[in-house]
Amino acid sequence: MVDKIGLVITVDYFLEEDDVEEDEDDVFPFLLDSRFFRRENVPSVQSFFEEVVPRLSSNDFERHFRLTKETFNRILQEIEPNISKIVRTMGKQPIVPKKRTMICIWYLCNNTSMREIALLFGLSQSTVFECIHDVCEALCSIRSRVITWPDLQRQQEISEHFEAECKIPGIAGIIDGTHITLTNVPFEDTDYINRKGYPSIQLQVIVDHMLLITNSFVGWPGCTHDSRVFRNSPIYEELENAMLYPNIFIIGDSAYPLKPYLITPFRDNGRLTAAQRHFNRKLSTSRQTVERGIGLLKVSFQEAYKFTLF
């Protein structure tokens, strides 16, 4: 989704061809000056990763990274084979996978710029960007192993928990959409401006009673209606082809279409019966689960919901 930025400085950027011919005596000594190509030694924090982070208590680590040490180590174990293959030395020692992962997690869960992270971890800003990009790609590569649709036994377990909560049997998940903020409007396409007036893309998720995401779909422009996003998501075709077992369904708000496998509230036209209003209240109680799940993600990983498209 987010393209890698390549920053290339060429002589043509500074000088037109005609200028070279006219002022060649003045220009080329300047271009050949080694100071023009040498990067300044920018001061930075030293040994933060090597000395400070290992001394963090479990509570402090979780407060800074929004993950327990155990969860972080599990993530590292899953993606390490992918990021270990990426080596960009530029004459320096390659950055170990643990540090690369830590830089990415720090960026995703803190409202911190890459410039500040570069200062903290003792790296250049471009290196920090590469770490974030590579780790995010590695995380996406294991997505299908982490976000999985529940099997029959798991669907029954989820259904039992929801039934105990709202007295409605058969609920295997709750679907809802949210907006991922964009820092600019891609290609000046106004379709990315959502109804609240800022650019975004749509994220659709289905969660269970434990706030675990069992399905996700992202990418449609912010102005797109939830029902259209749903109809164009892979889960729609799978549900149409009986992905759920009999008497099992998911629930959503009134923005979604009523289907045998997708239950929505009765539309309030002013003539709802007492039983219908009671059903809507119970359904609303369960739908709060997906809202809590989305809220937890956005609070924990603030920068993960802000992207720049180039």
mmCIF file of all heavy atoms in Angstrom, residues 244-288:
data_model
loop_
_atom_site.group_PDB
_atom_site.id
_atom_site.type_symbol
_atom_site.label_atom_id
_atom_site.label_comp_id
_atom_site.label_asym_id
_atom_site.label_seq_id
_atom_site.Cartn_x
_atom_site.Cartn_y
_atom_site.Cartn_z
ATOM 1 N N LEU A 244 -19.927 -20.449 6.313
ATOM 2 C CA LEU A 244 -20.388 -20.680 7.676
ATOM 3 C C LEU A 244 -21.229 -21.948 7.745
ATOM 4 O O LEU A 244 -21.875 -22.342 6.767
ATOM 5 C CB LEU A 244 -21.215 -19.486 8.162
ATOM 6 C CG LEU A 244 -20.442 -18.191 8.446
ATOM 7 C CD1 LEU A 244 -21.397 -17.034 8.647
ATOM 8 C CD2 LEU A 244 -19.547 -18.344 9.657
ATOM 9 N N TYR A 245 -21.230 -22.539 8.906
ATOM 10 C CA TYR A 245 -22.010 -23.764 9.104
ATOM 11 C C TYR A 245 -23.473 -23.418 9.379
ATOM 12 O O TYR A 245 -23.794 -22.266 9.704
ATOM 13 C CB TYR A 245 -21.409 -24.570 10.261
ATOM 14 C CG TYR A 245 -20.048 -25.125 9.936
ATOM 15 C CD1 TYR A 245 -18.888 -24.419 10.266
ATOM 16 C CD2 TYR A 245 -19.909 -26.338 9.274
ATOM 17 C CE1 TYR A 245 -17.630 -24.920 9.950
ATOM 18 C CE2 TYR A 245 -18.655 -26.845 8.951
ATOM 19 C CZ TYR A 245 -17.523 -26.125 9.291
ATOM 20 O OH TYR A 245 -16.286 -26.615 8.969
ATOM 21 N N PRO A 246 -24.402 -24.371 9.243
ATOM 22 C CA PRO A 246 -25.832 -24.094 9.450
ATOM 23 C C PRO A 246 -26.101 -23.477 10.819
ATOM 24 O O PRO A 246 -25.473 -23.829 11.813
ATOM 25 C CB PRO A 246 -26.470 -25.484 9.317
ATOM 26 C CG PRO A 246 -25.524 -26.259 8.461
ATOM 27 C CD PRO A 246 -24.155 -25.761 8.825
ATOM 28 N N ASN A 247 -27.039 -22.521 10.817
ATOM 29 C CA ASN A 247 -27.472 -21.832 12.039
ATOM 30 C C ASN A 247 -26.366 -20.975 12.656
ATOM 31 O O ASN A 247 -26.443 -20.603 13.825
ATOM 32 C CB ASN A 247 -27.987 -22.831 13.086
ATOM 33 C CG ASN A 247 -29.148 -23.656 12.571
ATOM 34 O OD1 ASN A 247 -30.031 -23.129 11.891
ATOM 35 N ND2 ASN A 247 -29.145 -24.950 12.868
ATOM 36 N N ILE A 248 -25.335 -20.673 11.868
ATOM 37 C CA ILE A 248 -24.259 -19.797 12.304
ATOM 38 C C ILE A 248 -24.236 -18.587 11.372
ATOM 39 O O ILE A 248 -24.396 -18.732 10.166
ATOM 40 C CB ILE A 248 -22.886 -20.501 12.271
ATOM 41 C CG1 ILE A 248 -22.875 -21.695 13.227
ATOM 42 C CG2 ILE A 248 -21.765 -19.535 12.610
ATOM 43 C CD1 ILE A 248 -22.919 -21.319 14.699
ATOM 44 N N PHE A 249 -24.039 -17.398 11.935
ATOM 45 C CA PHE A 249 -24.040 -16.182 11.117
ATOM 46 C C PHE A 249 -23.175 -15.113 11.780
ATOM 47 O O PHE A 249 -22.725 -15.267 12.928
ATOM 48 C CB PHE A 249 -25.475 -15.665 10.931
ATOM 49 C CG PHE A 249 -26.228 -15.508 12.237
ATOM 50 C CD1 PHE A 249 -26.110 -14.345 12.993
ATOM 51 C CD2 PHE A 249 -27.028 -16.527 12.723
ATOM 52 C CE1 PHE A 249 -26.792 -14.201 14.195
ATOM 53 C CE2 PHE A 249 -27.717 -16.410 13.923
ATOM 54 C CZ PHE A 249 -27.591 -15.245 14.663
ATOM 55 N N ILE A 250 -22.929 -14.039 11.041
ATOM 56 C CA ILE A 250 -22.279 -12.867 11.610
ATOM 57 C C ILE A 250 -23.315 -11.749 11.693
ATOM 58 O O ILE A 250 -24.375 -11.826 11.060
ATOM 59 C CB ILE A 250 -21.062 -12.416 10.764
ATOM 60 C CG1 ILE A 250 -21.497 -12.030 9.342
ATOM 61 C CG2 ILE A 250 -20.010 -13.502 10.732
ATOM 62 C CD1 ILE A 250 -20.368 -11.466 8.482
ATOM 63 N N ILE A 251 -22.999 -10.714 12.454
ATOM 64 C CA ILE A 251 -23.932 -9.595 12.589
ATOM 65 C C ILE A 251 -23.220 -8.291 12.242
ATOM 66 O O ILE A 251 -21.992 -8.183 12.330
ATOM 67 C CB ILE A 251 -24.536 -9.510 14.010
ATOM 68 C CG1 ILE A 251 -23.430 -9.254 15.048
ATOM 69 C CG2 ILE A 251 -25.319 -10.768 14.342
ATOM 70 C CD1 ILE A 251 -23.975 -8.998 16.438
ATOM 71 N N GLY A 252 -24.010 -7.306 11.819
ATOM 72 C CA GLY A 252 -23.481 -5.997 11.484
ATOM 73 C C GLY A 252 -24.523 -4.933 11.715
ATOM 74 O O GLY A 252 -25.676 -5.232 12.079
ATOM 75 N N ASP A 253 -24.147 -3.669 11.502
ATOM 76 C CA ASP A 253 -25.120 -2.590 11.688
ATOM 77 C C ASP A 253 -25.973 -2.445 10.433
ATOM 78 O O ASP A 253 -25.858 -3.217 9.475
ATOM 79 C CB ASP A 253 -24.420 -1.285 12.061
ATOM 80 C CG ASP A 253 -23.397 -0.838 11.021
ATOM 81 O OD1 ASP A 253 -23.562 -1.188 9.839
ATOM 82 O OD2 ASP A 253 -22.429 -0.139 11.406
ATOM 83 N N SER A 254 -26.812 -1.424 10.414
ATOM 84 C CA SER A 254 -27.788 -1.266 9.331
ATOM 85 C C SER A 254 -27.147 -0.887 8.003
ATOM 86 O O SER A 254 -27.834 -0.860 6.972
ATOM 87 C CB SER A 254 -28.817 -0.207 9.718
ATOM 88 O OG SER A 254 -28.184 1.026 10.049
ATOM 89 N N ALA A 255 -25.846 -0.573 7.991
ATOM 90 C CA ALA A 255 -25.177 -0.250 6.735
ATOM 91 C C ALA A 255 -24.974 -1.484 5.864
ATOM 92 O O ALA A 255 -24.727 -1.352 4.659
ATOM 93 C CB ALA A 255 -23.817 0.402 7.011
ATOM 94 N N TYR A 256 -25.065 -2.658 6.448
ATOM 95 C CA TYR A 256 -24.815 -3.906 5.712
ATOM 96 C C TYR A 256 -26.120 -4.521 5.228
ATOM 97 O O TYR A 256 -27.186 -4.345 5.847
ATOM 98 C CB TYR A 256 -24.059 -4.885 6.603
ATOM 99 C CG TYR A 256 -22.656 -4.428 6.908
ATOM 100 C CD1 TYR A 256 -22.367 -3.726 8.082
ATOM 101 C CD2 TYR A 256 -21.617 -4.664 6.015
ATOM 102 C CE1 TYR A 256 -21.083 -3.283 8.353
ATOM 103 C CE2 TYR A 256 -20.328 -4.224 6.271
ATOM 104 C CZ TYR A 256 -20.071 -3.537 7.445
ATOM 105 O OH TYR A 256 -18.801 -3.081 7.697
ATOM 106 N N PRO A 257 -26.060 -5.284 4.131
ATOM 107 C CA PRO A 257 -27.272 -5.922 3.605
ATOM 108 C C PRO A 257 -27.690 -7.119 4.463
ATOM 109 O O PRO A 257 -26.837 -7.813 5.027
ATOM 110 C CB PRO A 257 -26.845 -6.369 2.207
ATOM 111 C CG PRO A 257 -25.368 -6.598 2.327
ATOM 112 C CD PRO A 257 -24.877 -5.553 3.294
ATOM 113 N N LEU A 258 -28.968 -7.333 4.555
ATOM 114 C CA LEU A 258 -29.486 -8.493 5.282
ATOM 115 C C LEU A 258 -29.310 -9.739 4.420
ATOM 116 O O LEU A 258 -29.750 -9.797 3.282
ATOM 117 C CB LEU A 258 -30.953 -8.282 5.620
ATOM 118 C CG LEU A 258 -31.644 -9.410 6.388
ATOM 119 C CD1 LEU A 258 -31.004 -9.591 7.764
ATOM 120 C CD2 LEU A 258 -33.140 -9.135 6.522
ATOM 121 N N LYS A 259 -28.630 -10.734 4.979
ATOM 122 C CA LYS A 259 -28.376 -11.980 4.272
ATOM 123 C C LYS A 259 -28.651 -13.145 5.220
ATOM 124 O O LYS A 259 -28.710 -12.969 6.444
ATOM 125 C CB LYS A 259 -26.915 -12.040 3.811
ATOM 126 C CG LYS A 259 -26.518 -10.995 2.786
ATOM 127 C CD LYS A 259 -26.977 -11.403 1.401
ATOM 128 C CE LYS A 259 -26.461 -10.453 0.333
ATOM 129 N NZ LYS A 259 -26.838 -10.901 -1.032
ATOM 130 N N PRO A 260 -28.794 -14.369 4.688
ATOM 131 C CA PRO A 260 -28.966 -15.526 5.586
ATOM 132 C C PRO A 260 -27.803 -15.699 6.549
ATOM 133 O O PRO A 260 -27.978 -16.237 7.653
ATOM 134 C CB PRO A 260 -29.064 -16.705 4.610
ATOM 135 C CG PRO A 260 -29.542 -16.106 3.334
ATOM 136 C CD PRO A 260 -28.940 -14.744 3.278
ATOM 137 N N TYR A 261 -26.613 -15.259 6.140
ATOM 138 C CA TYR A 261 -25.418 -15.395 6.978
ATOM 139 C C TYR A 261 -25.009 -14.071 7.641
ATOM 140 O O TYR A 261 -24.013 -14.024 8.345
ATOM 141 C CB TYR A 261 -24.251 -15.897 6.121
ATOM 142 C CG TYR A 261 -24.034 -15.069 4.870
ATOM 143 C CD1 TYR A 261 -23.359 -13.847 4.916
ATOM 144 C CD2 TYR A 261 -24.526 -15.499 3.640
ATOM 145 C CE1 TYR A 261 -23.181 -13.083 3.778
ATOM 146 C CE2 TYR A 261 -24.349 -14.737 2.504
ATOM 147 C CZ TYR A 261 -23.673 -13.530 2.578
ATOM 148 O OH TYR A 261 -23.508 -12.769 1.448
ATOM 149 N N LEU A 262 -25.768 -12.989 7.401
ATOM 150 C CA LEU A 262 -25.455 -11.673 7.959
ATOM 151 C C LEU A 262 -26.737 -11.045 8.483
ATOM 152 O O LEU A 262 -27.620 -10.657 7.714
ATOM 153 C CB LEU A 262 -24.808 -10.777 6.897
ATOM 154 C CG LEU A 262 -24.532 -9.320 7.284
ATOM 155 C CD1 LEU A 262 -23.706 -9.224 8.557
ATOM 156 C CD2 LEU A 262 -23.829 -8.586 6.137
ATOM 157 N N ILE A 263 -26.835 -10.942 9.796
ATOM 158 C CA ILE A 263 -28.030 -10.411 10.439
ATOM 159 C C ILE A 263 -27.799 -8.954 10.818
ATOM 160 O O ILE A 263 -26.771 -8.608 11.422
ATOM 161 C CB ILE A 263 -28.395 -11.228 11.686
ATOM 162 C CG1 ILE A 263 -28.559 -12.711 11.314
ATOM 163 C CG2 ILE A 263 -29.664 -10.690 12.332
ATOM 164 C CD1 ILE A 263 -29.613 -12.975 10.266
ATOM 165 N N THR A 264 -28.746 -8.094 10.462
ATOM 166 C CA THR A 264 -28.674 -6.665 10.770
ATOM 167 C C THR A 264 -29.904 -6.252 11.581
ATOM 168 O O THR A 264 -30.895 -6.994 11.642
ATOM 169 C CB THR A 264 -28.596 -5.850 9.475
ATOM 170 O OG1 THR A 264 -29.779 -6.099 8.694
ATOM 171 C CG2 THR A 264 -27.363 -6.228 8.665
ATOM 172 N N PRO A 265 -29.891 -5.073 12.194
ATOM 173 C CA PRO A 265 -31.046 -4.642 12.987
ATOM 174 C C PRO A 265 -32.273 -4.378 12.104
ATOM 175 O O PRO A 265 -32.156 -4.131 10.898
ATOM 176 C CB PRO A 265 -30.560 -3.340 13.649
ATOM 177 C CG PRO A 265 -29.083 -3.327 13.496
ATOM 178 C CD PRO A 265 -28.774 -4.110 12.260
ATOM 179 N N PHE A 266 -33.439 -4.422 12.734
ATOM 180 C CA PHE A 266 -34.646 -3.978 12.049
ATOM 181 C C PHE A 266 -34.528 -2.478 11.797
ATOM 182 O O PHE A 266 -34.131 -1.715 12.685
ATOM 183 C CB PHE A 266 -35.888 -4.261 12.906
ATOM 184 C CG PHE A 266 -36.251 -5.712 12.992
ATOM 185 C CD1 PHE A 266 -35.896 -6.454 14.114
ATOM 186 C CD2 PHE A 266 -36.955 -6.335 11.969
ATOM 187 C CE1 PHE A 266 -36.226 -7.800 14.207
ATOM 188 C CE2 PHE A 266 -37.301 -7.674 12.062
ATOM 189 C CZ PHE A 266 -36.934 -8.408 13.178
ATOM 190 N N ARG A 267 -34.888 -2.049 10.582
ATOM 191 C CA ARG A 267 -34.825 -0.626 10.277
ATOM 192 C C ARG A 267 -35.951 0.099 11.010
ATOM 193 O O ARG A 267 -37.117 -0.286 10.924
ATOM 194 C CB ARG A 267 -34.929 -0.394 8.773
ATOM 195 C CG ARG A 267 -33.762 -1.015 8.016
ATOM 196 C CD ARG A 267 -33.758 -0.597 6.563
ATOM 197 N NE ARG A 267 -32.650 -1.211 5.842
ATOM 198 C CZ ARG A 267 -31.414 -0.732 5.815
ATOM 199 N NH1 ARG A 267 -31.138 0.392 6.462
ATOM 200 N NH2 ARG A 267 -30.463 -1.348 5.147
ATOM 201 N N ASP A 268 -35.568 1.134 11.711
ATOM 202 C CA ASP A 268 -36.540 1.863 12.524
ATOM 203 C C ASP A 268 -37.306 2.851 11.656
ATOM 204 O O ASP A 268 -36.845 3.951 11.351
ATOM 205 C CB ASP A 268 -35.821 2.602 13.659
ATOM 206 C CG ASP A 268 -36.802 3.159 14.681
ATOM 207 O OD1 ASP A 268 -38.031 3.052 14.449
ATOM 208 O OD2 ASP A 268 -36.343 3.702 15.707
ATOM 209 N N ASN A 269 -38.482 2.446 11.230
ATOM 210 C CA ASN A 269 -39.346 3.302 10.422
ATOM 211 C C ASN A 269 -40.456 3.939 11.254
ATOM 212 O O ASN A 269 -41.436 4.464 10.719
ATOM 213 C CB ASN A 269 -39.949 2.507 9.261
ATOM 214 C CG ASN A 269 -40.646 1.242 9.751
ATOM 215 O OD1 ASN A 269 -40.864 1.052 10.958
ATOM 216 N ND2 ASN A 269 -40.976 0.351 8.818
ATOM 217 N N GLY A 270 -40.307 3.839 12.567
ATOM 218 C CA GLY A 270 -41.305 4.420 13.460
ATOM 219 C C GLY A 270 -42.430 3.467 13.827
ATOM 220 O O GLY A 270 -43.308 3.834 14.622
ATOM 221 N N ARG A 271 -42.407 2.266 13.282
ATOM 222 C CA ARG A 271 -43.489 1.305 13.539
ATOM 223 C C ARG A 271 -42.949 -0.035 14.041
ATOM 224 O O ARG A 271 -43.542 -1.084 13.798
ATOM 225 C CB ARG A 271 -44.325 1.100 12.276
ATOM 226 C CG ARG A 271 -45.056 2.344 11.793
ATOM 227 C CD ARG A 271 -46.090 2.010 10.735
ATOM 228 N NE ARG A 271 -45.454 1.448 9.547
ATOM 229 C CZ ARG A 271 -45.011 2.176 8.530
ATOM 230 N NH1 ARG A 271 -45.109 3.497 8.559
ATOM 231 N NH2 ARG A 271 -44.463 1.598 7.475
ATOM 232 N N LEU A 272 -41.800 -0.010 14.699
ATOM 233 C CA LEU A 272 -41.240 -1.251 15.227
ATOM 234 C C LEU A 272 -42.048 -1.744 16.418
ATOM 235 O O LEU A 272 -42.518 -0.955 17.249
ATOM 236 C CB LEU A 272 -39.787 -1.031 15.653
ATOM 237 C CG LEU A 272 -38.769 -0.723 14.550
ATOM 238 C CD1 LEU A 272 -37.377 -0.597 15.148
ATOM 239 C CD2 LEU A 272 -38.787 -1.792 13.463
ATOM 240 N N THR A 273 -42.178 -3.051 16.505
ATOM 241 C CA THR A 273 -42.864 -3.637 17.646
ATOM 242 C C THR A 273 -41.914 -3.672 18.845
ATOM 243 O O THR A 273 -40.706 -3.462 18.716
ATOM 244 C CB THR A 273 -43.319 -5.065 17.316
ATOM 245 O OG1 THR A 273 -42.156 -5.888 17.101
ATOM 246 C CG2 THR A 273 -44.190 -5.089 16.066
ATOM 247 N N ALA A 274 -42.465 -3.973 19.999
ATOM 248 C CA ALA A 274 -41.639 -4.063 21.203
ATOM 249 C C ALA A 274 -40.595 -5.179 21.061
ATOM 250 O O ALA A 274 -39.453 -5.028 21.505
ATOM 251 C CB ALA A 274 -42.524 -4.311 22.423
ATOM 252 N N ALA A 275 -40.995 -6.291 20.445
ATOM 253 C CA ALA A 275 -40.068 -7.404 20.254
ATOM 254 C C ALA A 275 -38.927 -7.007 19.309
ATOM 255 O O ALA A 275 -37.761 -7.383 19.525
ATOM 256 C CB ALA A 275 -40.814 -8.613 19.703
ATOM 257 N N GLN A 276 -39.249 -6.248 18.264
ATOM 258 C CA GLN A 276 -38.216 -5.819 17.324
ATOM 259 C C GLN A 276 -37.247 -4.834 17.972
ATOM 260 O O GLN A 276 -36.037 -4.901 17.746
ATOM 261 C CB GLN A 276 -38.872 -5.191 16.091
ATOM 262 C CG GLN A 276 -39.594 -6.201 15.202
ATOM 263 C CD GLN A 276 -40.402 -5.541 14.103
ATOM 264 O OE1 GLN A 276 -40.855 -4.388 14.235
ATOM 265 N NE2 GLN A 276 -40.610 -6.266 13.008
ATOM 266 N N ARG A 277 -37.764 -3.920 18.778
ATOM 267 C CA ARG A 277 -36.884 -2.980 19.480
ATOM 268 C C ARG A 277 -35.997 -3.715 20.479
ATOM 269 O O ARG A 277 -34.820 -3.389 20.655
ATOM 270 C CB ARG A 277 -37.711 -1.906 20.187
ATOM 271 C CG ARG A 277 -38.379 -0.900 19.250
ATOM 272 C CD ARG A 277 -38.864 0.322 20.014
ATOM 273 N NE ARG A 277 -39.893 -0.036 20.986
ATOM 274 C CZ ARG A 277 -41.196 -0.063 20.715
ATOM 275 N NH1 ARG A 277 -41.636 0.239 19.495
ATOM 276 N NH2 ARG A 277 -42.075 -0.392 21.648
ATOM 277 N N HIS A 278 -36.552 -4.732 21.129
ATOM 278 C CA HIS A 278 -35.767 -5.534 22.075
ATOM 279 C C HIS A 278 -34.649 -6.280 21.339
ATOM 280 O O HIS A 278 -33.510 -6.335 21.827
ATOM 281 C CB HIS A 278 -36.678 -6.526 22.789
ATOM 282 C CG HIS A 278 -35.967 -7.410 23.758
ATOM 283 N ND1 HIS A 278 -35.474 -6.973 24.960
ATOM 284 C CD2 HIS A 278 -35.648 -8.745 23.688
ATOM 285 C CE1 HIS A 278 -34.887 -7.964 25.595
ATOM 286 N NE2 HIS A 278 -34.986 -9.054 24.843
ATOM 287 N N PHE A 279 -34.972 -6.823 20.161
ATOM 288 C CA PHE A 279 -33.965 -7.523 19.363
ATOM 289 C C PHE A 279 -32.847 -6.565 18.951
ATOM 290 O O PHE A 279 -31.655 -6.907 19.021
ATOM 291 C CB PHE A 279 -34.618 -8.135 18.121
ATOM 292 C CG PHE A 279 -33.642 -8.782 17.178
ATOM 293 C CD1 PHE A 279 -33.178 -10.068 17.406
ATOM 294 C CD2 PHE A 279 -33.172 -8.091 16.061
ATOM 295 C CE1 PHE A 279 -32.267 -10.662 16.541
ATOM 296 C CE2 PHE A 279 -32.262 -8.673 15.193
ATOM 297 C CZ PHE A 279 -31.811 -9.963 15.431
ATOM 298 N N ASN A 280 -33.207 -5.367 18.539
ATOM 299 C CA ASN A 280 -32.203 -4.372 18.133
ATOM 300 C C ASN A 280 -31.276 -4.013 19.291
ATOM 301 O O ASN A 280 -30.071 -3.837 19.102
ATOM 302 C CB ASN A 280 -32.882 -3.109 17.608
ATOM 303 C CG ASN A 280 -33.408 -3.272 16.186
ATOM 304 O OD1 ASN A 280 -33.208 -4.315 15.567
ATOM 305 N ND2 ASN A 280 -34.068 -2.253 15.677
ATOM 306 N N ARG A 281 -31.836 -3.902 20.501
ATOM 307 C CA ARG A 281 -31.003 -3.578 21.667
ATOM 308 C C ARG A 281 -30.019 -4.696 21.952
ATOM 309 O O ARG A 281 -28.851 -4.450 22.267
ATOM 310 C CB ARG A 281 -31.886 -3.297 22.890
ATOM 311 C CG ARG A 281 -32.594 -1.953 22.877
ATOM 312 C CD ARG A 281 -33.138 -1.606 24.241
ATOM 313 N NE ARG A 281 -34.150 -2.572 24.681
ATOM 314 C CZ ARG A 281 -35.444 -2.455 24.440
ATOM 315 N NH1 ARG A 281 -35.901 -1.397 23.746
ATOM 316 N NH2 ARG A 281 -36.303 -3.355 24.862
ATOM 317 N N LYS A 282 -30.478 -5.937 21.860
ATOM 318 C CA LYS A 282 -29.592 -7.075 22.107
ATOM 319 C C LYS A 282 -28.498 -7.153 21.031
ATOM 320 O O LYS A 282 -27.344 -7.445 21.340
ATOM 321 C CB LYS A 282 -30.400 -8.379 22.126
ATOM 322 C CG LYS A 282 -31.337 -8.505 23.323
ATOM 323 C CD LYS A 282 -30.542 -8.541 24.620
ATOM 324 C CE LYS A 282 -31.435 -8.759 25.821
ATOM 325 N NZ LYS A 282 -30.657 -8.772 27.094
ATOM 326 N N LEU A 283 -28.886 -6.888 19.797
ATOM 327 C CA LEU A 283 -27.913 -6.906 18.712
ATOM 328 C C LEU A 283 -26.878 -5.798 18.906
ATOM 329 O O LEU A 283 -25.680 -5.996 18.666
ATOM 330 C CB LEU A 283 -28.628 -6.751 17.371
ATOM 331 C CG LEU A 283 -27.989 -7.425 16.159
ATOM 332 C CD1 LEU A 283 -27.988 -8.939 16.334
ATOM 333 C CD2 LEU A 283 -28.735 -7.039 14.884
ATOM 334 N N SER A 284 -27.349 -4.644 19.347
ATOM 335 C CA SER A 284 -26.440 -3.519 19.587
ATOM 336 C C SER A 284 -25.443 -3.841 20.697
ATOM 337 O O SER A 284 -24.276 -3.439 20.635
ATOM 338 C CB SER A 284 -27.243 -2.269 19.947
ATOM 339 O OG SER A 284 -26.397 -1.188 20.245
ATOM 340 N N THR A 285 -25.891 -4.584 21.702
ATOM 341 C CA THR A 285 -24.994 -4.979 22.795
ATOM 342 C C THR A 285 -23.828 -5.802 22.268
ATOM 343 O O THR A 285 -22.674 -5.603 22.652
ATOM 344 C CB THR A 285 -25.764 -5.789 23.848
ATOM 345 O OG1 THR A 285 -26.810 -4.984 24.391
ATOM 346 C CG2 THR A 285 -24.837 -6.232 24.975
ATOM 347 N N SER A 286 -24.108 -6.710 21.351
ATOM 348 C CA SER A 286 -23.048 -7.544 20.782
ATOM 349 C C SER A 286 -22.158 -6.756 19.839
ATOM 350 O O SER A 286 -20.942 -6.955 19.803
ATOM 351 C CB SER A 286 -23.658 -8.735 20.038
ATOM 352 O OG SER A 286 -24.319 -9.602 20.929
ATOM 353 N N ARG A 287 -22.748 -5.833 19.070
ATOM 354 C CA ARG A 287 -21.960 -5.079 18.093
ATOM 355 C C ARG A 287 -20.942 -4.155 18.757
ATOM 356 O O ARG A 287 -19.979 -3.714 18.111
ATOM 357 C CB ARG A 287 -22.885 -4.272 17.184
ATOM 358 C CG ARG A 287 -23.595 -5.122 16.151
ATOM 359 C CD ARG A 287 -24.220 -4.283 15.044
ATOM 360 N NE ARG A 287 -25.320 -3.463 15.538
ATOM 361 C CZ ARG A 287 -25.246 -2.159 15.745
ATOM 362 N NH1 ARG A 287 -24.107 -1.519 15.514
ATOM 363 N NH2 ARG A 287 -26.289 -1.488 16.172
ATOM 364 N N GLN A 288 -21.117 -3.861 20.026
ATOM 365 C CA GLN A 288 -20.128 -3.039 20.725
ATOM 366 C C GLN A 288 -18.767 -3.737 20.787
ATOM 367 O O GLN A 288 -17.743 -3.080 20.950
ATOM 368 C CB GLN A 288 -20.628 -2.719 22.134
ATOM 369 C CG GLN A 288 -21.822 -1.782 22.169
ATOM 370 C CD GLN A 288 -22.343 -1.561 23.571
ATOM 371 O OE1 GLN A 288 -21.738 -2.012 24.545
ATOM 372 N NE2 GLN A 288 -23.474 -0.880 23.678
#
